């Protein structure tokens, strides 16, 4: 089901953004993988493009300054009505703010921070730019999940900062919390213990909808990406964890129909 969106309720993931070294090559990769087209976006953090699908904004890709050695990673942005207040709450609750709050032209106001476990996320206060304008079709963000050591303590952080409702998945062999806004599931926190990649630490993972996970994984490999977890069936559909040519991890998911 295709959905186009108005203003997002605070706490809802409303945008995903990737900062890379090779902007043009990265645009070519995702354009070929997801059918995205690109147009220039706000330049507060350097050269930046918005990815469009059928004319709707779905994600952003920016260029890292040559002297910045940040992890290359997709970063989800969570909606806020007052990014300055949210940033202050992040600090009070044991997180850090690395960038901002700052204005992005007339588009809105942003901050980039990390939770107490070190996972990076963004905060977006919309003005002209409301965020991802299309979901539910191939090439759009489908879900965001925090991979961390254990869910309980970090779930409290996100609940306090963004007023999420928490729904733990009670199971002997799974440590999973679903974060809800207005009763709707909007994101997950998955405690994976020592299965967390040593080179990454806790991090957010964005799932992108595809029509066929196996075919998309093959195409990604042909385009220079890497399959980290082969396509497999999950309760949410057929999924694969992959990385782009610069190493940014994300997941492909084919929703069950």
């Amino acid at each position: 089901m295709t959905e186009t969106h108005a203003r997002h309720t605070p706490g809802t993931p409303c945008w995903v953004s990737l900062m890379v070294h090779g902007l043009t090559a990265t645009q070519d990769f995702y354009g070929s993988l997801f059918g995205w087209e690109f147009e220039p976006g706000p330049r507060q953090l350097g050269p930046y493009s918005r990815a469009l699908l059928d004319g709707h904004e779905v994600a952003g890709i920016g260029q890292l300054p040559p002297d910045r050695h940040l992890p290359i990673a997709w970063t989800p942005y969570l909606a806020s009505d007052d990014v300055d207040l949210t940033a202050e709450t992040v600090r009070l609750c044991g997180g850090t703010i690395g960038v901002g709050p700052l204005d992005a032209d007339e588009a809105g106001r942003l901050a980039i921070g990390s939770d107490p476990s070190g996972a990076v996320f963004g905060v977006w206060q919309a003005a002209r730019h409301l965020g991802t304008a299309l979901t539910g079709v191939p090439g759009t963000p489908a879900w965001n999940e925090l991979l961390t050591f254990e869910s309980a303590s970090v779930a409290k952080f996100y609940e306090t900062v963004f007023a999420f409702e928490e729904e733990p998945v009670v199971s002997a062999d799974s440590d999973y919390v679903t974060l809800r806004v207005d009763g709707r599931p909007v994101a997950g926190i998955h405690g994976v213990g020592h299965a967390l990649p040593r080179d990454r630490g806790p991090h957010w993972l964005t799932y992108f909808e595809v029509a066929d996970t196996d075919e998309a994984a093959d195409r990604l490999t042909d385009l220079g990406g890497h399959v980290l977890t082969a396509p497999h069936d999950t309760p949410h559909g057929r999924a694969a964890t992959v990385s782009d040519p610069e190493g940014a991890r994300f997941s492909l998911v084919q929703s069950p129909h």
Side-chain angles (χ1 to χ4, degrees):
M1 183 176 109
T2 304
E3 293 181 49
T4 53
H5 296 277
R7 182 174 289 275
H8 293 262
T9 309
T12 310
C14 61
W15 188 243
V16 287
S17 191
L18 173 66
M19 300 293 282
V20 295
H21 296 292
L23 188 55
T24 307
T26 300
Q27 288 180 179
D28 290 345
F29 171 84
Y30 286 101
S32 300
L33 183 63
F34 291 139
W36 291 350
E37 296 172 336
F38 294 91
E39 66 176 24
R43 297 177 65 92
Q44 262 55 31
L45 303 174
Y48 192 80
S49 297
R50 289 199 182 126
L52 307 181
L53 192 67
D54 299 329
H56 298 284
E57 297 176 348
V58 292
I61 299 178
Q63 185 158 335
L64 281 168
D67 56 336
R68 294 299 291 276
H69 298 289
L70 298 169
I72 309 289
W74 279 101
T75 302
Y77 281 72
L78 307 176
S80 169
D81 285 341
D82 183 342
V83 72
D84 294 75
L85 181 62
T86 301
E88 191 56 38
T89 312
V90 166
R91 291 193 187 100
L92 289 171
C93 293
T96 57
I97 296 293
V99 175
L102 57 86
D103 289 322
D105 297 347
E106 284 88 50
R109 191 162 170 81
L110 69 87
I112 301 171
S114 53
D115 67 27
S117 75
V120 175
F121 63 94
V123 182
W124 182 255
Q125 180 182 338
R128 194 167 285 177
H129 173 64
L130 296 176
T132 300
L134 184 69
T135 57
V137 296
T140 62
W143 185 246
N144 288 283
E145 191 170 278
L146 173 62
L147 297 178
T148 190
F149 294 109
E150 54 87 30
S151 66
S153 56
V154 80
K156 288 278 180 284
F157 167 84
Y158 286 99
E159 282 171 53
T160 307
V161 174
F162 293 103
F164 289 123
E165 305 134 30
E166 179 188 322
E167 184 195 12
V169 176
V170 181
S171 133
D173 57 355
S174 178
D175 174 14
Y176 199 94
V177 171
T178 302
L179 299 176
R180 292 176 173 263
V181 170
D182 299 334
R184 290 182 303 111
V186 296
I189 298 178
H190 192 183
V192 296
H194 295 297
L196 203 63
R198 283 215 177 87
D199 57 332
R200 290 311 306 257
H203 60 282
W204 279 93
L205 187 69
T206 297
Y207 286 71
F208 290 95
E209 181 89 27
V210 291
D212 182 325
T213 302
D214 296 75
E215 187 274 332
D218 288 343
R219 187 156 25 121
L220 170 131
T221 306
D222 292 341
L223 293 166
H226 300 278
V227 175
L228 306 174
T229 307
H232 58 286
D233 294 316
T234 77
H236 308 292
R238 193 158 174 79
T241 304
V242 298
S243 66
D244 69 16
E246 286 204 22
R249 293 172 190 228
F250 58 101
S251 284
L252 307 170
V253 64
Q254 175 186 343
S255 296
H257 293 297

